[in-house]
């Protein structure tokens, strides 16, 4: 049997959890392109409260994500995933039943409180072997990008045809479908594997927060999602004022996503294969700045708006792909999961800040102030990012150690002496070695052979 071929359980876990994650993300994203247009018909609605309804989801996610991930170590992954999806569904039902903006705000807060991302990743780690885990995680990452594009198109179509309340009912059904898939398709884990590559290490946040490179990348994901959410406060009403009916907004998002996805691949190849991550990173921030300036100058010129939107999502989709890769490269060996937890919290704080502040700025002075502040934020981000170093082009991996290998006090030094190995951390109580490697010089197979020979 090919040891790198996924087993039936691994395939079920990957497809099942990937689908659950995608259904939840679909429900989250479908609201973004429609809330600032259709939501204004709600009782008590204002631009500031619409922004709060967009942003409060991110605040709740930021608060509950890491604690829920740690709790899943004790209560079990599947029970927490099911509980989180039930909370998400409850929030969707509340938003569907209300005709008040405050009801939608409460519903969105509950949706965000069902924070299951960490538990999903932990269960995926429990159900996949080391040599296949990267493929499984990559599938989740790809599904995230595809789901975002689908949501941008489906949200306006469903809301125009059936109304905002029907959209929330549909989101509740998606959550219930996720529960059904979790129960019927996703295998149960026999044991929880403490994998520092995907899980959070208790008491290790100080080590991650003290890393200057990671801190700058966390600022980056905060800025990226603050710009995204503030843009969705201003863009839909701007397009409506420029003469494009809300029912047709999906056409803009469809073309924009198709073009940006096609352009992402060359950027990623150049960044990873040619080892030009920082250059691509700085180019994307520059494109985001240009997009904010174009949108600021667009006024009611529809084609100028289209150009700004295309620039924005081209840079956004590339950034969404390379930022997690940068976090993985910069995270200390054995602390990638913790670094990703802090990264995700920073992302959701950006969602909260972008939605809430974007709504306040839009209500105060209109769309021009939203994009002017967005441009200022992009400039600040660009200046901070100039101090980033070129990342080490390494990958993280975990090797399970035998009882004899754990007792080998010289194992870490022998592993580190291998070509392409930059960092080694042996954790005896977990019977694991966490290693950072340059895959152009070595690979998992060679290191496993060394460990087994020892």
């Amino acid at each position: 049997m090919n040891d790198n071929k996924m087993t039936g359980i691994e395939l079920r876990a990957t497809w099942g959890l990937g689908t659950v994650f995608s259904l939840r993300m679909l429900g989250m994203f479908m609201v973004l392109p429609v809330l600032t247009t259709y939501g204004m018909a709600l009782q008590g609605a204002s631009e500031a409260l619409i922004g709060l309804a967009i942003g409060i989801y991110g605040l709740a996610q930021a608060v509950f994500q890491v604690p829920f991930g740690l709790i899943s170590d004790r209560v079990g992954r599947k029970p927490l995933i099911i509980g989180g999806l039930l909370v998400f569904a409850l929030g969707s039902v509340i938003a569907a039943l209300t005709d008040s903006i405050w009801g939608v705000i409460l519903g969105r807060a509950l949706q965000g409180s069902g924070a299951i991302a960490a538990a999903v990743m932990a269960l995926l780690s429990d159900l996949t072997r080391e040599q296949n885990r990267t493929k499984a995680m990559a599938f989740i990452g790809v599904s995230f990008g595809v789901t975002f594009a689908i949501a941008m198109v489906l949200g306006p179509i469903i809301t125009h045809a059936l109304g905002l309340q029907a959209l929330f009912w549909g989101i509740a059904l998606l959550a219930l479908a996720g529960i059904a898939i979790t129960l019927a398709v996703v295998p149960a884990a026999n044991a929880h594997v403490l994998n520092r590559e995907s899980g959070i290490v208790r008491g290790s946040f100080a080590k991650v927060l003290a890393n200057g490179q990671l801190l700058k990348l966390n600022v980056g994901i905060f800025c990226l999602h603050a710009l995204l959410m503030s843009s969705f406060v201003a863009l839909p009403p701007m397009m409506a004022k420029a003469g494009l009916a809300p029912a047709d907004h999906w056409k803009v998002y469809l073309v924009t996503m198709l073009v940006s996805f096609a352009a992402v691949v060359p950027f990623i190849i150049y960044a990873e294969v040619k080892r030009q991550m920082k250059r691509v990173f700085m180019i994307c921030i520059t494109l985001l700045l240009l997009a904010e300036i174009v949108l600021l100058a667009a006024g009611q010129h529809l084609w100028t708006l289209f150009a700004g939107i295309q620039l924005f999502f081209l840079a956004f989709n590339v950034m969404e792909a390379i930022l997690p890769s940068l976090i993985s490269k910069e995270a200390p060996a054995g602390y990638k999961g913790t670094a990703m937890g802090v990264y995700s919290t920073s992302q959701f704080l950006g969602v909260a800040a972008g939605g809430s502040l974007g709504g306040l700025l839009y209500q105060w002075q209109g769309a021009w102030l939203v994009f002017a502040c967005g441009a200022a934020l992009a400039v600040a981000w660009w200046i901070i990012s100039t101090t980033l170093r070129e990342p080490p082009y390494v990958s993280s991996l975990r090797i399970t150690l035998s009882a004899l290998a754990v007792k080998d006090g010289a194992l870490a030094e022998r592993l580190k002496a291998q070509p392409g190995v930059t960092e080694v951390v042996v954790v005896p109580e977990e019977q694991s070695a966490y290693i950072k490697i340059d895959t152009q010089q070595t690979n998992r197979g060679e290191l496993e052979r060394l460990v087994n020979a020892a």
Side-chain angles (χ1 to χ4, degrees):
M1 178 181 175
N2 181 357
D3 199 43
N4 291 314
K5 184 178 180 181
M6 280 194 165
T7 65
I9 288 178
E10 288 175 325
L11 287 170
R12 279 174 56 202
T14 301
W15 282 97
L17 289 171
T19 303
V20 169
F21 192 77
S22 296
L23 289 174
R24 185 174 170 280
M25 290 296 104
L26 186 64
M28 175 187 126
F29 288 134
M30 282 198 296
V31 176
L32 293 182
V34 299
L35 203 53
T36 48
T37 47
Y38 294 91
M40 288 301 291
L42 294 165
Q43 289 182 12
S46 67
E47 289 87 351
L49 292 178
I50 291 290
L52 178 61
I54 290 174
I56 200 167
Y57 179 96
L59 181 60
Q61 281 276 309
V63 169
F64 290 105
Q65 174 192 224
V66 170
F68 276 19
L70 295 173
I71 290 170
S72 75
D73 293 338
R74 297 190 177 186
V75 304
R77 316 294 195 206
K78 288 181 78 170
L80 192 134
I81 291 170
I82 292 167
L85 288 170
L86 283 172
V87 173
F88 185 88
L90 176 62
S92 304
V93 169
I94 289 173
L97 290 172
T98 188
D99 58 1
S100 164
I101 184 60
W102 290 106
V104 171
I105 290 170
L106 174 60
R108 290 279 294 168
L110 280 171
Q111 284 182 328
S113 300
I116 63 169
V120 167
M121 293 302 183
L123 182 55
L124 189 64
S125 180
D126 292 343
L127 294 170
T128 53
R129 293 169 297 162
E130 297 294 338
Q131 62 267 36
N132 291 326
R133 192 162 296 129
T134 300
K135 290 183 282 188
M137 296 291 184
F139 177 81
I140 299 285
V142 171
S143 69
F144 181 92
V146 174
T147 300
F148 181 77
I150 293 172
M152 292 298 98
V153 175
L154 280 184
I157 292 174
I158 293 172
T159 308
H160 174 68
L162 302 172
L164 189 61
Q165 279 73 23
L167 179 66
F168 280 114
W169 280 117
I171 292 169
L173 291 175
L174 290 176
L176 295 177
I179 292 173
I181 292 169
T182 302
L183 291 170
V185 178
V186 177
N190 295 324
H192 298 327
V193 179
L194 178 53
N195 185 346
R196 292 165 174 249
E197 293 301 293
S198 56
I200 295 168
V201 181
R202 295 173 188 270
S204 64
F205 288 104
K207 181 179 180 69
V208 169
L209 292 171
N211 185 306
Q213 292 294 106
L214 291 176
L215 189 61
K216 292 168 190 174
L217 295 173
N218 290 328
V219 168
I221 193 62
F222 174 93
C223 293
L224 183 65
H225 279 261
L227 290 171
L228 176 69
M229 294 302 153
S230 63
S231 296
F232 272 114
V233 170
L235 280 175
M238 279 186 75
M239 288 194 288
K241 289 177 181 177
L244 185 68
D248 294 325
H249 287 188
W250 67 270
K251 299 174 184 177
V252 177
Y253 298 127
L254 176 61
V255 173
T256 298
M257 292 299 165
L258 290 175
V259 172
S260 60
F261 276 144
V264 161
V265 175
F267 273 100
I268 300 303
I269 292 173
Y270 180 68
E272 291 281 5
V273 178
K274 301 297 183 182
R275 302 197 165 188
Q276 296 291 335
M277 294 285 284
K278 182 178 178 180
R279 177 175 293 180
V280 172
F281 190 82
M282 297 303 298
I283 288 172
C284 287
I285 301 176
T286 304
L287 289 176
L288 288 167
L289 173 59
L290 288 174
E292 295 293 310
I293 292 171
V294 170
L295 293 170
L296 173 62
Q300 295 189 15
H301 297 92
L302 199 55
W303 285 101
T304 308
L305 279 174
F306 293 166
I309 293 170
Q310 185 66 74
L311 273 175
F312 183 93
F313 281 108
L314 170 61
F316 176 84
N317 286 325
V318 174
M319 276 295 201
E320 279 286 288
I322 67 173
L323 267 167
S325 177
L326 285 168
I327 291 286
S328 176
K329 287 172 170 55
E330 294 287 358
Y335 294 94
K336 177 182 170 184
T338 307
M340 289 303 299
V342 174
Y343 167 86
S344 296
T345 300
S346 303
Q347 171 183 330
F348 288 118
L349 288 173
V351 170
S356 303
L357 294 178
L360 286 171
L361 294 171
Y362 190 89
Q363 182 169 310
W364 183 30
Q365 290 290 329
W368 76 267
L369 186 59
V370 175
F371 294 120
C373 290
L377 181 62
V379 169
W381 181 14
W382 193 93
I383 293 170
I384 292 169
S385 298
T386 57
T387 63
L388 279 168
R389 65 167 182 255
E390 191 72 35
Y393 288 89
V394 293
S395 299
S396 302
L397 56 85
R398 171 181 178 266
I399 294 178
T400 303
L401 304 178
S402 66
L404 285 175
V406 168
K407 296 176 183 177
D408 185 350
L411 179 62
E413 290 303 318
R414 283 204 305 279
L415 285 169
K416 197 166 184 179
Q418 297 303 302
V421 175
T422 61
E423 193 176 355
V424 177
V425 173
V426 174
V427 186
E429 59 270 23
E430 298 173 21
Q431 290 192 293
S432 302
Y434 295 91
I435 310 172
K436 309 276 283 195
I437 66 169
D438 183 340
T439 54
Q440 291 187 1
Q441 298 183 53
T442 190
N443 57 54
R444 172 185 290 277
E446 291 180 5
L447 297 179
E448 286 181 337
R449 282 191 290 274
L450 174 65
V451 169
N452 292 332

